[in-house]
Amino acid sequence: MNTHWRNGGYTVPHSDTYPWQWLWDSCFHALVWAELGFPDRATAELASALSDQDALGFVPHVRYVGNPDHLSDFWGRPATSSITQPPMYGHAVAELVRRGVDVPDVTLRKAELGLRFLLDRRARTEDGLVTVVHPWETGCDDSPRWDHWCQPAWDTGRWYDVKGELLDGVERAPSGAPLANPAFGAGSVGFSALVAWNAAELASVTGDRALATAGLAVARAVDARWDAGLRTWVDAGPSAATSGRARTLDALLGALLPGEHAVEALEQTVDDGAFGGRFGPPAVHRLDPTYEPGTYWRGSAWPQLTYLLWCAARRAGLDAVAKGLAGRLVAGAAASGLAEHWHPDTGAPLGAVPQSWTGLALLVE
Ligand code: GLC
C-alpha cells in the first residue's frame, strides 16, 4: 500500500497496469488504510476519489492525475473518464464512521450527491432499477452478463471493439454527466444492488431518511427480479431474455439487501456445485456454459466481490457462510501474492500482482 500511495492523496491499484486513480478501487483502499491504522489516508483517498464530481453529482471512474491528456480523445474530455463505477463511497464512509474516523462533512455531502445522481437521474421508470450506460460502469468489465451486446459471439478482441463503440451512444447532460445509453440500456441487478446498499449504508450514519427510502425502492425492484429456477436475480432491459440471465457472481450482490432470497443466494457462494471454490467464489457459476476460471471476469475469483458477499453474509446472520468466505479470501490473497484476481481452485495469480484492493483480506480476518 505504501508503494502504491501517491502524493495526490490516493493509491494506485497497481503501479504499471493501473497507474491512475479508479473510483471503486479507492473506496476499498480507504477501508484498507483504516484497517492498517492510517485514517488520514483513508479520508484523503475518499476526498480525492470524489474531487472531480460535477454539480449534478456524477463522479468519473478514472482520474488521470498529472496527465490530463491521457485518453482525452477517447473520453471526450481531459483529466478524467466520462462514465462512473459502483458508488462504493456510501459503504466506505459508513464503515469509517462506524470505526470512529472523523469523516469531513464535505465528503459526506459529496457521497450523498453522488448517490442521488444515480437514484434520480439514472432511475429506470419501467422497472425501478438504475441505468448503466456502459459495461465498465459495473466494474465487471467482461462479465458474461454483457454478451448480448457482443454479436455474433463473445471474444476478447470483438468485445474490446464493442466497448469502444458503446461509448459513442452515451447521452449526456450539458456538464458531460452520462445519463443514458440507448445502445446499451442494461438494467443491471448487480449495479442496482450496489447503489441501493450504498444508499442504505450512507443513510445509516447520516440519518438521511429520503436517501434510505429511495435506496429501499431500488432494493425492492432488484428483489422482484429473482428467478427461482436459475436461483439468481435477472437483469432487465435488452438482455433480459439472453445474457442478463447468466449465473454470474455480481448478479448475487442483491444479497446485500433486505429481501427474501438473500439466504438462497449466499448459500451458493460456498456450495461446490455452484460458486464454491477453495480460494473464493468464481465470478461465474461452475455449471454456466460461460464458466472459464482462467479468463478475465469469466470465472476467476475477485477479492472485492468476495469481500462484498462476506458483508452480505454477516448482515444476513449467516455466520458459517461468512466464515467460509473470509477464509477463502485470505487463502486466495496469500496464495496469489495479493493478485488482482486468481484461479478459484488453485489460487494461481491472474492480472496485476500485487493489487491494492486485495488488502481487503485484512478486513475479514
Ligand atoms: C479493471 C477492473 C475494474 C477495476 C480496474 C482497476 O478494469 O475490471 O473493476 O476498477 O481494473 O483495478
Side-chain angles (χ1 to χ4, degrees):
M1 291 298 282
N2 266 330
T3 309
H4 286 176
W5 178 255
R6 296 290 176 269
N7 286 339
Y10 66 97
T11 318
V12 294
H14 181 270
S15 302
D16 303 325
T17 314
Y18 301 111
W20 317 110
Q21 181 171 26
W22 267 262
L23 176 58
W24 79 325
D25 298 66
S26 272
C27 298
F28 292 124
H29 302 162
L31 301 175
V32 177
W33 282 122
E35 177 70 21
L36 287 169
F38 293 87
D40 292 350
R41 286 199 174 180
T43 51
E45 180 129 15
L46 279 182
S48 61
L50 294 167
S51 62
D52 282 312
Q53 182 176 52
D54 75 2
L56 290 182
F58 160 63
V59 186
H61 92 298
V62 189
R63 300 180 63 240
Y64 301 105
V65 184
N67 200 346
D69 294 332
H70 188 73
L71 291 183
S72 55
D73 287 346
F74 180 76
W75 294 116
R77 61 196 276 162
T80 71
S81 75
S82 52
I83 57 171
T84 194
Q85 249 186 350
M88 293 312 310
Y89 38 81
H91 169 61
V93 163
E95 186 57 27
L96 294 185
V97 170
R98 285 193 289 263
R99 286 167 178 252
V101 176
D102 189 13
V103 180
D105 279 351
V106 61
T107 298
L108 293 169
R109 281 201 304 276
K110 285 186 168 205
E112 191 200 335
L113 188 64
L115 284 158
R116 291 259 50 137
F117 168 76
L118 294 167
L119 289 162
D120 301 342
R121 308 270 177 160
R122 292 285 193 91
R124 294 168 59 95
T125 45
E126 60 275 41
D127 46 48
L129 298 173
V130 179
T131 277
V132 176
V133 304
H134 193 279
W136 281 331
E137 286 203 321
T138 65
C140 309
D141 302 7
D142 288 13
S143 169
R145 282 316 252 201
W146 322 126
D147 287 5
H148 175 86
W149 287 272
C150 193
Q151 300 299 334
W154 189 85
D155 75 61
T156 317
R158 173 81 192 117
W159 184 229
Y160 184 81
D161 292 342
V162 171
K163 284 188 285 194
E165 291 160 19
L166 284 173
L167 202 58
D168 296 338
V170 177
E171 296 174 348
R172 301 181 181 280
S175 67
L179 299 176
N181 187 353
F184 188 54
S188 159
V189 287
F191 185 85
S192 298
L194 288 180
V195 173
W197 184 57
N198 279 281
E201 282 281 89
L202 186 62
S204 74
V205 295
T206 62
D208 182 341
R209 293 180 62 162
L211 187 66
T213 306
L216 203 53
V218 174
R220 290 207 186 93
V222 170
D223 209 40
R225 301 203 57 81
W226 179 259
D227 185 296
L230 290 171
R231 306 179 76 210
T232 186
W233 286 281
V234 170
D235 286 352
S239 64
T242 56
S243 63
R245 302 170 63 76
R247 286 171 292 174
T248 62
L249 192 65
D250 53 297
L252 297 185
L253 290 170
L256 286 159
L257 309 171
E260 53 178 308
H261 307 294
V263 173
E264 194 175 344
L266 287 165
E267 282 173 344
Q268 294 179 68
T269 64
V270 289
D271 173 352
D272 289 344
F275 290 89
R278 194 170 152 214
F279 296 96
V284 175
H285 192 294
R286 288 175 180 279
L287 302 181
D288 197 88
T290 61
Y291 176 63
E292 285 182 56
T295 308
Y296 189 67
W297 279 112
R298 300 176 79 86
S300 56
W302 289 82
Q304 82 288 15
L305 292 188
T306 306
Y307 166 77
L308 289 169
L309 291 159
W310 171 80
C311 291
R314 296 218 314 169
R315 191 186 176 288
L318 296 178
D319 294 343
V321 174
K323 199 160 171 255
L325 290 173
R328 292 162 195 221
L329 174 51
V330 172
S336 70
L338 305 176
E340 176 185 1
H341 58 129
W342 51 78
H343 194 292
D345 298 327
T346 65
L350 294 165
V353 187
Q355 178 93 345
S356 302
W357 66 17
T358 307
L360 287 169
L362 294 171
L363 278 92
V364 305
E365 268 202 305

